[in-house]
Coordinates of all heavy atoms in Angstrom, one line a residue:
M1 N -8.9 -54.9 59.9 CA -9.5 -53.7 60.6 C -10.2 -54.2 61.8 O -10.9 -55.2 61.8 CB -10.5 -53.1 59.6 CG -11.4 -52.1 60.2 SD -11.7 -50.5 59.5 CE -10.6 -50.3 58.2
I2 N -10.0 -53.4 62.9 CA -10.7 -53.7 64.2 C -12.1 -53.0 64.1 O -12.1 -51.8 63.9 CB -9.9 -53.2 65.4 CG1 -8.5 -54.0 65.4 CG2 -10.6 -53.4 66.7 CD1 -7.6 -53.4 66.4
I3 N -13.1 -53.7 64.4 CA -14.5 -53.2 64.5 C -15.0 -53.6 65.8 O -15.1 -54.8 66.1 CB -15.3 -53.7 63.3 CG1 -14.7 -53.2 62.0 CG2 -16.8 -53.2 63.5 CD1 -15.4 -53.8 60.8
T4 N -15.4 -52.6 66.7 CA -15.9 -52.9 68.0 C -17.1 -52.0 68.4 O -17.2 -50.9 68.0 CB -14.8 -52.8 69.0 OG1 -15.2 -53.2 70.3 CG2 -14.1 -51.5 69.0
T5 N -17.9 -52.5 69.3 CA -19.0 -51.7 69.9 C -18.5 -50.8 71.0 O -19.2 -49.9 71.4 CB -20.1 -52.6 70.4 OG1 -19.6 -53.5 71.4 CG2 -20.7 -53.4 69.3
T6 N -17.3 -51.1 71.5 CA -16.8 -50.3 72.6 C -16.2 -48.9 72.1 O -15.9 -48.8 70.9 CB -15.6 -51.0 73.3 OG1 -14.6 -51.3 72.4 CG2 -16.1 -52.3 73.9
P7 N -16.2 -47.9 73.0 CA -15.7 -46.6 72.6 C -14.2 -46.5 72.4 O -13.7 -45.4 71.8 CB -16.2 -45.7 73.7 CG -16.3 -46.5 74.9 CD -16.6 -47.9 74.4
Q8 N -13.5 -47.5 72.8 CA -12.0 -47.4 72.6 C -11.5 -48.9 72.5 O -12.2 -49.8 72.7 CB -11.3 -46.7 73.8 CG -11.7 -47.3 75.1 CD -11.2 -46.4 76.3 OE1 -10.9 -45.3 76.1 NE2 -11.2 -46.9 77.5
I9 N -10.2 -49.0 72.2 CA -9.6 -50.3 72.1 C -8.5 -50.4 73.1 O -7.6 -49.6 73.1 CB -9.1 -50.6 70.6 CG1 -10.2 -50.5 69.6 CG2 -8.4 -51.9 70.6 CD1 -9.8 -50.4 68.2
E10 N -8.6 -51.3 74.0 CA -7.7 -51.4 75.1 C -6.2 -51.5 74.6 O -5.9 -52.3 73.7 CB -8.0 -52.6 76.0 CG -7.2 -52.7 77.3 CD -7.7 -53.8 78.2 OE1 -8.8 -54.3 78.0 OE2 -6.9 -54.2 79.0
G11 N -5.4 -50.7 75.2 CA -4.0 -50.7 74.8 C -3.6 -50.0 73.5 O -2.5 -50.0 73.0
R12 N -4.6 -49.5 72.8 CA -4.4 -48.9 71.5 C -5.0 -47.5 71.5 O -6.2 -47.3 71.3 CB -5.1 -49.7 70.4 CG -4.6 -51.1 70.2 CD -3.3 -51.3 69.6 NE -3.0 -50.7 68.4 CZ -3.2 -51.2 67.2 NH1 -3.7 -52.4 67.1 NH2 -2.9 -50.5 66.1
P13 N -4.2 -46.5 71.8 CA -4.8 -45.1 71.8 C -5.2 -44.6 70.4 O -4.7 -45.0 69.4 CB -3.6 -44.2 72.3 CG -2.4 -45.0 72.0 CD -2.8 -46.5 72.0
I14 N -6.3 -43.8 70.4 CA -6.8 -43.2 69.2 C -6.0 -42.0 68.9 O -6.0 -41.1 69.7 CB -8.3 -42.9 69.3 CG1 -9.1 -44.3 69.5 CG2 -8.8 -42.1 68.1 CD1 -10.5 -44.1 69.8
S15 N -5.4 -41.9 67.7 CA -4.6 -40.8 67.4 C -5.4 -39.8 66.5 O -5.1 -38.6 66.5 CB -3.3 -41.2 66.7 OG -3.6 -41.8 65.4
R16 N -6.4 -40.2 65.8 CA -7.2 -39.3 65.0 C -8.6 -39.9 64.8 O -8.8 -41.1 64.6 CB -6.5 -39.2 63.6 CG -7.2 -38.2 62.7 CD -6.4 -37.9 61.4 NE -5.9 -39.0 60.7 CZ -6.5 -39.6 59.6 NH1 -7.7 -39.0 59.2 NH2 -6.0 -40.6 59.0
Y17 N -9.6 -39.0 64.8 CA -11.0 -39.4 64.5 C -11.2 -39.1 63.0 O -11.0 -38.0 62.6 CB -12.0 -38.7 65.4 CG -11.9 -39.2 66.8 CD1 -11.0 -38.6 67.7 CD2 -12.7 -40.2 67.2 CE1 -11.0 -39.0 69.0 CE2 -12.7 -40.7 68.5 CZ -11.8 -40.1 69.4 OH -11.7 -40.5 70.7
C18 N -11.7 -40.1 62.2 CA -11.9 -39.9 60.8 C -13.3 -39.6 60.4 O -13.6 -39.4 59.2 CB -11.3 -41.1 60.1 SG -9.6 -41.5 60.4
G19 N -14.2 -39.7 61.3 CA -15.6 -39.4 61.0 C -16.5 -40.6 61.2 O -16.1 -41.7 61.4
V20 N -17.8 -40.4 61.1 CA -18.8 -41.4 61.2 C -18.9 -42.2 59.9 O -18.9 -41.6 58.8 CB -20.2 -40.8 61.6 CG1 -21.3 -41.9 61.5 CG2 -20.1 -40.1 62.9
V21 N -18.9 -43.5 60.0 CA -19.1 -44.3 58.8 C -20.3 -45.2 59.0 O -20.7 -45.5 60.1 CB -17.8 -45.2 58.6 CG1 -16.6 -44.3 58.1 CG2 -17.4 -46.0 59.8
T22 N -20.9 -45.6 57.9 CA -22.1 -46.4 57.9 C -22.1 -47.5 56.9 O -21.3 -47.5 55.9 CB -23.3 -45.6 57.6 OG1 -23.2 -45.0 56.3 CG2 -23.5 -44.4 58.6
G23 N -22.9 -48.5 57.1 CA -23.1 -49.6 56.1 C -24.6 -50.0 56.2 O -25.1 -50.1 57.3
E24 N -25.2 -50.2 55.1 CA -26.6 -50.7 55.0 C -26.7 -51.8 54.1 O -26.0 -51.9 53.1 CB -27.5 -49.5 54.6 CG -27.6 -48.3 55.5 CD -26.5 -47.3 55.2 OE1 -25.9 -47.4 54.1 OE2 -26.2 -46.5 56.1
A25 N -27.7 -52.6 54.4 CA -28.1 -53.7 53.4 C -29.5 -54.0 53.6 O -30.1 -54.1 54.7 CB -27.3 -55.0 53.7
I26 N -30.2 -54.1 52.4 CA -31.6 -54.4 52.4 C -31.8 -55.7 51.5 O -31.3 -55.7 50.4 CB -32.5 -53.3 51.9 CG1 -32.3 -52.0 52.8 CG2 -34.0 -53.7 51.8 CD1 -33.0 -50.8 52.2
I27 N -32.4 -56.6 52.1 CA -32.6 -57.9 51.4 C -34.1 -58.3 51.4 O -34.7 -58.2 52.5 CB -31.8 -59.0 52.0 CG1 -30.3 -58.7 51.9 CG2 -32.1 -60.4 51.4 CD1 -29.3 -59.7 52.4
G28 N -34.6 -58.7 50.3 CA -36.0 -59.1 50.2 C -36.0 -60.6 50.4 O -35.2 -61.4 49.8
A29 N -36.9 -61.0 51.2 CA -37.2 -62.4 51.5 C -38.2 -62.9 50.4 O -39.3 -62.3 50.3 CB -37.7 -62.7 52.9
N30 N -37.9 -63.9 49.7 CA -38.9 -64.3 48.6 C -40.2 -64.9 49.2 O -40.2 -65.3 50.3 CB -38.2 -65.2 47.6 CG -37.9 -66.6 48.1 OD1 -38.7 -67.1 48.9 ND2 -36.8 -67.1 47.7
I31 N -41.2 -65.0 48.3 CA -42.5 -65.5 48.8 C -42.5 -66.9 49.3 O -43.2 -67.2 50.3 CB -43.5 -65.3 47.6 CG1 -44.9 -65.5 48.2 CG2 -43.2 -66.3 46.5 CD1 -46.0 -65.1 47.2
F32 N -41.6 -67.8 48.8 CA -41.5 -69.1 49.3 C -41.0 -69.2 50.7 O -41.5 -69.9 51.6 CB -40.7 -70.0 48.4 CG -41.3 -70.1 47.0 CD1 -40.7 -69.6 45.9 CD2 -42.5 -70.7 46.8 CE1 -41.2 -69.6 44.7 CE2 -43.1 -70.8 45.6 CZ -42.5 -70.2 44.5
S33 N -40.0 -68.3 51.0 CA -39.4 -68.2 52.3 C -40.5 -67.7 53.3 O -40.6 -68.1 54.4 CB -38.2 -67.3 52.3 OG -37.2 -67.8 51.5
D34 N -41.3 -66.7 52.8 CA -42.3 -66.1 53.7 C -43.3 -67.2 54.1 O -43.7 -67.3 55.2 CB -43.0 -65.0 53.0 CG -42.2 -63.7 52.8 OD1 -41.1 -63.7 53.5 OD2 -42.5 -62.9 52.0
M35 N -43.8 -68.0 53.1 CA -44.8 -69.0 53.4 C -44.2 -70.1 54.3 O -44.9 -70.5 55.2 CB -45.3 -69.6 52.0 CG -46.2 -68.7 51.2 SD -47.0 -69.5 49.8 CE -45.6 -70.1 48.9
F36 N -43.0 -70.5 54.1 CA -42.3 -71.5 54.9 C -42.2 -70.9 56.3 O -42.4 -71.6 57.3 CB -41.0 -71.9 54.3 CG -40.3 -73.0 55.1 CD1 -40.8 -74.3 55.1 CD2 -39.2 -72.7 55.9 CE1 -40.2 -75.3 55.8 CE2 -38.6 -73.7 56.6 CZ -39.1 -75.0 56.5
A37 N -41.8 -69.7 56.5 CA -41.7 -69.1 57.8 C -43.0 -69.0 58.5 O -43.0 -69.3 59.8 CB -41.1 -67.7 57.7
K38 N -44.1 -68.8 57.8 CA -45.4 -68.8 58.5 C -45.8 -70.2 59.0 O -46.3 -70.3 60.1 CB -46.5 -68.2 57.5 CG -46.4 -66.8 57.2 CD -47.4 -66.3 56.2 CE -47.1 -64.8 55.9 NZ -47.9 -64.3 54.8
V39 N -45.5 -71.2 58.2 CA -45.7 -72.5 58.6 C -44.9 -72.8 59.9 O -45.3 -73.4 60.9 CB -45.4 -73.6 57.5 CG1 -45.4 -75.0 58.0 CG2 -46.4 -73.4 56.4
R40 N -43.6 -72.4 59.9 CA -42.7 -72.6 61.0 C -43.3 -71.9 62.3 O -43.2 -72.4 63.4 CB -41.3 -72.1 60.7 CG -40.5 -72.9 59.9 CD -40.0 -74.0 60.8 NE -38.8 -74.6 60.1 CZ -38.3 -75.8 60.4 NH1 -38.9 -76.5 61.4 NH2 -37.3 -76.3 59.8
D41 N -43.8 -70.7 62.1 CA -44.4 -70.0 63.2 C -45.5 -70.7 63.8 O -45.7 -70.7 65.0 CB -44.9 -68.6 62.8 CG -43.7 -67.6 62.5 OD1 -42.6 -67.9 62.9 OD2 -43.9 -66.6 61.8
I42 N -46.3 -71.4 63.0 CA -47.5 -72.2 63.5 C -47.0 -73.4 64.2 O -47.5 -73.8 65.3 CB -48.5 -72.5 62.3 CG1 -49.1 -71.2 61.8 CG2 -49.5 -73.4 62.8 CD1 -49.8 -71.3 60.5
V43 N -46.1 -74.2 63.6 CA -45.7 -75.5 64.2 C -44.5 -75.4 65.0 O -44.1 -76.4 65.7 CB -45.5 -76.5 63.0 CG1 -46.8 -76.8 62.2 CG2 -44.3 -76.1 62.1
G44 N -43.9 -74.3 65.1 CA -42.7 -74.1 66.0 C -41.4 -74.3 65.2 O -41.4 -74.8 64.0
G45 N -40.3 -74.0 65.8 CA -39.0 -74.2 65.1 C -38.4 -72.9 64.7 O -39.0 -71.8 64.9
R46 N -37.2 -73.0 64.1 CA -36.5 -71.8 63.7 C -36.8 -71.5 62.2 O -37.0 -72.5 61.4 CB -35.0 -72.0 63.9 CG -34.7 -72.1 65.3 CD -33.3 -72.5 65.6 NE -32.4 -71.4 65.1 CZ -31.1 -71.3 65.4 NH1 -30.5 -72.3 66.1 NH2 -30.4 -70.3 65.0
A47 N -36.9 -70.3 61.8 CA -37.1 -69.9 60.4 C -35.7 -69.7 59.8 O -35.2 -68.6 59.7 CB -37.9 -68.6 60.4
G48 N -35.2 -70.8 59.3 CA -33.9 -70.8 58.7 C -33.7 -69.8 57.5 O -32.6 -69.2 57.4
A49 N -34.7 -69.7 56.7 CA -34.5 -68.7 55.6 C -34.3 -67.3 56.0 O -33.5 -66.6 55.5 CB -35.8 -68.8 54.7
Y50 N -35.1 -66.9 57.1 CA -34.9 -65.6 57.6 C -33.6 -65.4 58.3 O -32.9 -64.4 58.2 CB -36.0 -65.2 58.6 CG -37.3 -64.7 57.9 CD1 -38.5 -65.3 58.1 CD2 -37.2 -63.7 57.0 CE1 -39.6 -64.9 57.5 CE2 -38.4 -63.2 56.3 CZ -39.6 -63.8 56.6 OH -40.7 -63.4 55.9
E51 N -33.1 -66.4 59.0 CA -31.8 -66.4 59.7 C -30.7 -66.2 58.7 O -29.8 -65.4 58.9 CB -31.6 -67.6 60.6 CG -32.5 -67.7 61.8 CD -32.4 -69.0 62.5 OE1 -31.6 -69.9 62.1 OE2 -33.0 -69.1 63.6
K52 N -30.8 -66.9 57.6 CA -29.8 -66.8 56.6 C -29.8 -65.4 55.9 O -28.8 -64.8 55.7 CB -30.0 -67.9 55.5 CG -29.0 -67.9 54.4 CD -29.2 -69.1 53.4 CE -28.1 -69.0 52.4 NZ -28.4 -70.1 51.4
A53 N -31.0 -64.9 55.7 CA -31.1 -63.6 55.1 C -30.6 -62.5 56.0 O -29.8 -61.6 55.6 CB -32.6 -63.3 54.7
L54 N -30.8 -62.6 57.3 CA -30.3 -61.6 58.2 C -28.8 -61.7 58.3 O -28.1 -60.7 58.4 CB -30.9 -61.9 59.6 CG -32.2 -61.3 59.9 CD1 -32.8 -61.7 61.3 CD2 -32.1 -59.8 59.9
K55 N -28.3 -62.9 58.3 CA -26.8 -63.1 58.4 C -26.1 -62.5 57.2 O -25.1 -61.8 57.3 CB -26.5 -64.6 58.5 CG -25.1 -64.9 58.9 CD -24.9 -66.4 59.1 CE -25.5 -66.8 60.4 NZ -25.2 -68.1 60.8
T56 N -26.7 -62.7 56.0 CA -26.2 -62.2 54.8 C -26.2 -60.6 54.8 O -25.3 -60.0 54.5 CB -27.0 -62.7 53.5 OG1 -26.8 -64.1 53.5 CG2 -26.5 -62.1 52.2
A57 N -27.4 -60.1 55.2 CA -27.5 -58.6 55.3 C -26.5 -58.0 56.3 O -25.9 -57.0 56.0 CB -28.9 -58.3 55.7
R58 N -26.3 -58.7 57.4 CA -25.4 -58.2 58.4 C -24.0 -58.2 57.9 O -23.2 -57.2 58.0 CB -25.5 -59.0 59.7 CG -24.7 -58.5 60.8 CD -24.8 -59.2 62.1 NE -24.4 -60.6 62.0 CZ -25.3 -61.7 62.1 NH1 -26.6 -61.5 62.3 NH2 -24.9 -62.9 61.9
R59 N -23.6 -59.2 57.2 CA -22.2 -59.3 56.6 C -22.0 -58.2 55.6 O -21.0 -57.6 55.5 CB -22.0 -60.7 56.0 CG -21.8 -61.8 57.0 CD -21.5 -63.1 56.3 NE -21.3 -64.1 57.3 CZ -21.7 -65.4 57.2 NH1 -22.2 -65.7 56.1 NH2 -21.5 -66.2 58.2
E60 N -23.0 -58.0 54.7 CA -22.9 -56.9 53.7 C -22.8 -55.5 54.3 O -22.0 -54.7 53.9 CB -24.1 -57.0 52.7 CG -24.0 -58.2 51.8 CD -25.2 -58.3 50.9 OE1 -26.0 -57.3 50.7 OE2 -25.4 -59.4 50.2
A61 N -23.6 -55.3 55.4 CA -23.6 -54.0 56.0 C -22.2 -53.8 56.7 O -21.6 -52.7 56.6 CB -24.7 -53.9 57.1
F62 N -21.6 -54.8 57.3 CA -20.3 -54.6 57.9 C -19.2 -54.4 56.9 O -18.3 -53.7 57.1 CB -20.0 -55.8 58.8 CG -20.4 -55.6 60.2 CD1 -21.5 -56.3 60.7 CD2 -19.7 -54.8 61.1 CE1 -21.9 -56.1 62.1 CE2 -20.0 -54.6 62.4 CZ -21.2 -55.3 62.9
A63 N -19.4 -55.1 55.7 CA -18.4 -54.9 54.6 C -18.5 -53.5 54.1 O -17.4 -52.9 53.9 CB -18.7 -55.9 53.5
D64 N -19.7 -52.9 54.0 CA -19.8 -51.5 53.6 C -19.1 -50.6 54.6 O -18.5 -49.6 54.2 CB -21.3 -51.1 53.4 CG -21.9 -51.7 52.2 OD1 -21.2 -52.3 51.3 OD2 -23.1 -51.6 52.0
L65 N -19.4 -50.9 55.9 CA -18.8 -50.1 57.0 C -17.3 -50.1 56.9 O -16.6 -49.0 56.9 CB -19.3 -50.6 58.3 CG -18.7 -49.9 59.5 CD1 -19.6 -48.7 59.9 CD2 -18.6 -50.9 60.7
E66 N -16.7 -51.3 56.7 CA -15.3 -51.4 56.7 C -14.7 -50.7 55.5 O -13.7 -50.0 55.6 CB -14.9 -52.9 56.6 CG -13.4 -53.1 56.7 CD -13.1 -54.6 56.9 OE1 -13.9 -55.4 57.3 OE2 -11.9 -54.9 56.7
H67 N -15.4 -50.8 54.3 CA -14.9 -50.1 53.1 C -14.9 -48.6 53.3 O -13.9 -47.9 52.9 CB -15.8 -50.5 51.9 CG -15.4 -49.9 50.6 ND1 -14.2 -50.3 49.9 CD2 -15.9 -48.9 49.9 CE1 -14.1 -49.6 48.8 NE2 -15.1 -48.7 48.8
E68 N -16.0 -48.1 53.9 CA -16.1 -46.7 54.1 C -15.0 -46.2 55.1 O -14.4 -45.1 54.9 CB -17.4 -46.3 54.6 CG -17.8 -44.9 54.5 CD -19.3 -44.6 54.8 OE1 -20.2 -45.2 54.1 OE2 -19.5 -43.7 55.6
A69 N -14.7 -47.0 56.1 CA -13.6 -46.6 57.1 C -12.3 -46.7 56.4 O -11.4 -45.8 56.6 CB -13.6 -47.6 58.2
E70 N -12.0 -47.6 55.5 CA -10.7 -47.7 54.8 C -10.6 -46.5 53.9 O -9.5 -45.9 53.8 CB -10.6 -49.0 54.0 CG -10.4 -50.2 54.8 CD -10.6 -51.5 54.0 OE1 -11.0 -51.5 52.8 OE2 -10.3 -52.6 54.6
D71 N -11.7 -46.1 53.2 CA -11.6 -44.9 52.4 C -11.3 -43.6 53.2 O -10.7 -42.7 52.6 CB -12.9 -44.7 51.6 CG -13.1 -45.7 50.5 OD1 -12.1 -46.4 50.2 OD2 -14.3 -45.8 50.0
A72 N -11.7 -43.6 54.4 CA -11.5 -42.5 55.3 C -10.1 -42.5 55.9 O -9.7 -41.6 56.7 CB -12.5 -42.4 56.4
G73 N -9.3 -43.5 55.6 CA -7.9 -43.6 56.2 C -7.9 -44.2 57.6 O -6.8 -44.1 58.2
A74 N -8.9 -44.9 58.0 CA -9.0 -45.4 59.4 C -8.4 -46.8 59.4 O -8.4 -47.5 58.4 CB -10.4 -45.4 59.8
D75 N -8.0 -47.3 60.6 CA -7.7 -48.7 60.8 C -8.5 -49.4 61.8 O -8.2 -50.5 62.2 CB -6.2 -48.9 61.0 CG -5.6 -47.9 62.1 OD1 -6.4 -47.5 62.9 OD2 -4.4 -47.7 62.1
A76 N -9.6 -48.7 62.3 CA -10.5 -49.3 63.2 C -11.8 -48.5 63.2 O -11.8 -47.3 62.7 CB -9.9 -49.3 64.6
V77 N -12.9 -49.1 63.7 CA -14.1 -48.4 63.9 C -14.6 -48.8 65.3 O -14.7 -49.9 65.7 CB -15.2 -48.9 62.8 CG1 -16.5 -48.2 63.0 CG2 -14.7 -48.8 61.4
V78 N -14.9 -47.7 66.0 CA -15.3 -47.9 67.4 C -16.8 -47.4 67.6 O -17.3 -46.7 66.8 CB -14.4 -47.1 68.4 CG1 -13.0 -47.7 68.4 CG2 -14.4 -45.6 68.1
G79 N -17.4 -47.8 68.7 CA -18.7 -47.4 69.0 C -19.8 -47.8 68.0 O -20.7 -47.1 67.7
V80 N -19.6 -49.0 67.5 CA -20.5 -49.6 66.4 C -21.9 -49.9 67.0 O -22.0 -50.4 68.1 CB -19.9 -50.8 65.8 CG1 -20.8 -51.5 64.9 CG2 -18.6 -50.4 65.0
D81 N -22.9 -49.5 66.3 CA -24.3 -49.8 66.6 C -24.9 -50.5 65.4 O -24.8 -50.1 64.3 CB -25.0 -48.4 66.9 CG -26.5 -48.6 67.2 OD1 -26.7 -49.4 68.2 OD2 -27.3 -48.1 66.6
L82 N -25.7 -51.5 65.7 CA -26.4 -52.3 64.7 C -27.9 -52.1 64.9 O -28.4 -52.1 66.0 CB -26.1 -53.8 65.0 CG -25.3 -54.5 64.0 CD1 -23.8 -54.3 64.3 CD2 -25.6 -56.0 64.0
D83 N -28.6 -51.9 63.8 CA -30.1 -51.8 63.8 C -30.6 -52.8 62.8 O -30.1 -52.9 61.7 CB -30.5 -50.4 63.5 CG -30.2 -49.4 64.7 OD1 -30.5 -49.8 65.8 OD2 -29.6 -48.4 64.4
Y84 N -31.7 -53.5 63.2 CA -32.5 -54.3 62.3 C -33.9 -53.8 62.2 O -34.5 -53.4 63.1 CB -32.5 -55.8 62.9 CG -31.2 -56.4 63.0 CD1 -30.5 -56.3 64.2 CD2 -30.7 -57.2 62.0 CE1 -29.2 -57.0 64.4 CE2 -29.5 -57.9 62.2 CZ -28.8 -57.8 63.3 OH -27.6 -58.4 63.5
E85 N -34.4 -53.8 60.9 CA -35.7 -53.4 60.7 C -36.4 -54.3 59.6 O -35.7 -54.8 58.7 CB -35.8 -52.0 60.1 CG -35.3 -50.9 61.1 CD -36.2 -50.7 62.3 OE1 -37.4 -50.9 62.2 OE2 -35.7 -50.3 63.3
V86 N -37.7 -54.5 59.8 CA -38.5 -55.1 58.7 C -39.2 -54.0 58.0 O -39.9 -53.2 58.7 CB -39.5 -56.1 59.3 CG1 -40.4 -56.7 58.3 CG2 -38.7 -57.2 60.1
I87 N -39.1 -53.9 56.7 CA -39.7 -52.8 56.0 C -40.5 -53.3 54.8 O -40.4 -54.5 54.5 CB -38.7 -51.8 55.5 CG1 -37.6 -52.4 54.6 CG2 -38.0 -51.1 56.7 CD1 -36.6 -51.4 54.0
G88 N -41.2 -52.5 54.1 CA -42.0 -52.8 53.0 C -43.5 -53.0 53.4 O -43.8 -53.2 54.5
E89 N -44.3 -52.9 52.4 CA -45.8 -53.0 52.6 C -46.2 -54.2 53.4 O -47.0 -54.2 54.2 CB -46.5 -52.9 51.3 CG -47.2 -51.6 51.1 CD -48.0 -51.6 49.8 OE1 -48.8 -52.5 49.6 OE2 -47.6 -50.7 48.9
T90 N -45.6 -55.3 53.0 CA -45.9 -56.6 53.6 C -44.9 -57.1 54.6 O -44.9 -58.2 55.0 CB -46.2 -57.7 52.5 OG1 -44.9 -57.9 51.8 CG2 -47.3 -57.3 51.6
G91 N -43.9 -56.2 54.9 CA -42.8 -56.6 55.8 C -41.9 -57.7 55.2 O -41.3 -58.5 55.9
S92 N -41.8 -57.7 53.9 CA -41.0 -58.7 53.2 C -39.5 -58.3 52.9 O -38.8 -59.0 52.3 CB -41.6 -59.1 51.9 OG -41.7 -58.0 51.1
M93 N -39.1 -57.1 53.4 CA -37.8 -56.6 53.2 C -37.1 -56.6 54.6 O -37.7 -56.1 55.6 CB -37.8 -55.3 52.6 CG -38.5 -55.2 51.3 SD -37.7 -56.0 49.9 CE -36.4 -54.9 49.6
L94 N -35.9 -57.0 54.6 CA -35.1 -57.0 55.9 C -34.0 -56.0 55.7 O -33.2 -56.0 54.7 CB -34.5 -58.3 56.1 CG -35.4 -59.5 56.2 CD1 -34.7 -60.8 56.2 CD2 -36.3 -59.4 57.5
M95 N -33.8 -55.0 56.6 CA -32.8 -54.0 56.5 C -31.9 -54.1 57.8 O -32.4 -54.2 58.9 CB -33.4 -52.6 56.5 CG -32.3 -51.5 56.4 SD -33.0 -49.9 56.3 CE -33.6 -49.6 58.0
V96 N -30.6 -54.1 57.5 CA -29.6 -54.0 58.6 C -28.8 -52.7 58.3 O -28.3 -52.5 57.2 CB -28.7 -55.2 58.5 CG1 -27.6 -55.1 59.6 CG2 -29.4 -56.5 58.7
S97 N -28.7 -51.9 59.3 CA -27.8 -50.7 59.2 C -26.8 -50.8 60.4 O -27.2 -51.2 61.5 CB -28.6 -49.4 59.2 OG -29.3 -49.3 60.4
V98 N -25.6 -50.3 60.1 CA -24.6 -50.3 61.1 C -23.8 -49.0 61.0 O -23.6 -48.5 59.8 CB -23.6 -51.6 60.9 CG1 -23.0 -51.6 59.5 CG2 -22.6 -51.7 62.0
S99 N -23.4 -48.4 62.1 CA -22.7 -47.2 62.1 C -21.7 -47.2 63.2 O -21.9 -47.9 64.2 CB -23.6 -46.0 62.2 OG -24.3 -46.0 63.4
G100 N -20.7 -46.4 63.0 CA -19.6 -46.2 64.1 C -18.7 -45.1 63.7 O -18.9 -44.4 62.7
T101 N -17.7 -44.9 64.5 CA -16.7 -43.8 64.3 C -15.4 -44.4 63.8 O -14.8 -45.3 64.5 CB -16.5 -43.1 65.6 OG1 -17.7 -42.5 66.1 CG2 -15.5 -41.9 65.4
A102 N -15.0 -44.0 62.6 CA -13.7 -44.5 62.1 C -12.6 -43.7 62.8 O -12.7 -42.5 62.9 CB -13.7 -44.2 60.6
V103 N -11.6 -44.5 63.1 CA -10.4 -43.9 63.9 C -9.1 -44.4 63.3 O -9.0 -45.5 62.8 CB -10.5 -44.2 65.4 CG1 -11.8 -43.5 66.0 CG2 -10.5 -45.6 65.7
K104 N -8.1 -43.6 63.5 CA -6.7 -44.1 63.3 C -6.1 -44.3 64.6 O -6.2 -43.5 65.6 CB -5.9 -42.9 62.6 CG -4.6 -43.3 62.0 CD -4.8 -44.2 60.8 CE -3.4 -44.4 60.2 NZ -3.4 -45.5 59.3
L105 N -5.5 -45.5 64.8 CA -4.9 -45.9 66.1 C -3.5 -45.4 66.1 O -2.8 -45.4 65.1 CB -5.0 -47.4 66.3 CG -6.4 -47.9 66.3 CD1 -6.4 -49.5 66.3 CD2 -7.2 -47.4 67.5
G106 N -3.0 -45.1 67.4 CA -1.7 -44.7 67.6 C -0.7 -45.8 67.7 O -1.0 -46.9 67.7

């Protein structure tokens, strides 16, 4: 399945629009990762635990998007938009949402 942020795919005309599709993933970062990230913020460096959690959430959100597009009979998703949010009372949840337009290519 082709998934792109562009509104069209070069050389591949869109024959049918199948609707808007979405994918979401929310992942909680555990307390040990939170404490380690705070230490990293103070001494510098990258917060590997958060990077890994974001990567996992992004992959899951894209997998949901692709599954929804397949269910709609599409073979591509165009105009994809990604959003990242920190949610929860203490900001310990990471949310990734992705949306786009499912299309059938000609």
Side-chain angles (χ1 to χ4, degrees):
M1 167 135 346
I2 298 171
I3 299 174
T4 181
T5 58
T6 60
Q8 58 193 12
I9 300 166
E10 189 173 338
R12 303 286 307 270
I14 294 172
S15 63
R16 182 170 55 94
Y17 290 88
C18 304
V20 173
V21 290
T22 62
E24 296 88 15
I26 299 174
I27 295 183
N30 69 39
I31 191 165
F32 298 113
S33 297
D34 288 345
M35 287 189 302
F36 184 68
K38 288 177 185 172
V39 170
R40 282 283 201 199
D41 287 343
I42 294 168
V43 299
R46 295 174 66 167
Y50 278 125
E51 289 175 359
K52 184 178 179 182
L54 275 174
K55 194 175 286 191
T56 299
R58 186 176 59 246
R59 285 183 182 144
E60 288 180 12
F62 269 103
D64 285 351
L65 177 88
E66 186 171 344
H67 180 73
E68 200 170 302
E70 287 171 351
D71 287 350
D75 48 22
V77 181
V78 297
V80 171
D81 179 56
L82 252 84
D83 289 310
Y84 296 90
E85 295 290 332
V86 176
I87 59 174
E89 252 181 60
T90 60
S92 61
M93 303 290 284
L94 304 168
M95 180 179 74
V96 177
S97 61
V98 60
S99 61
T101 302
V103 297
K104 190 77 173 162
L105 300 173

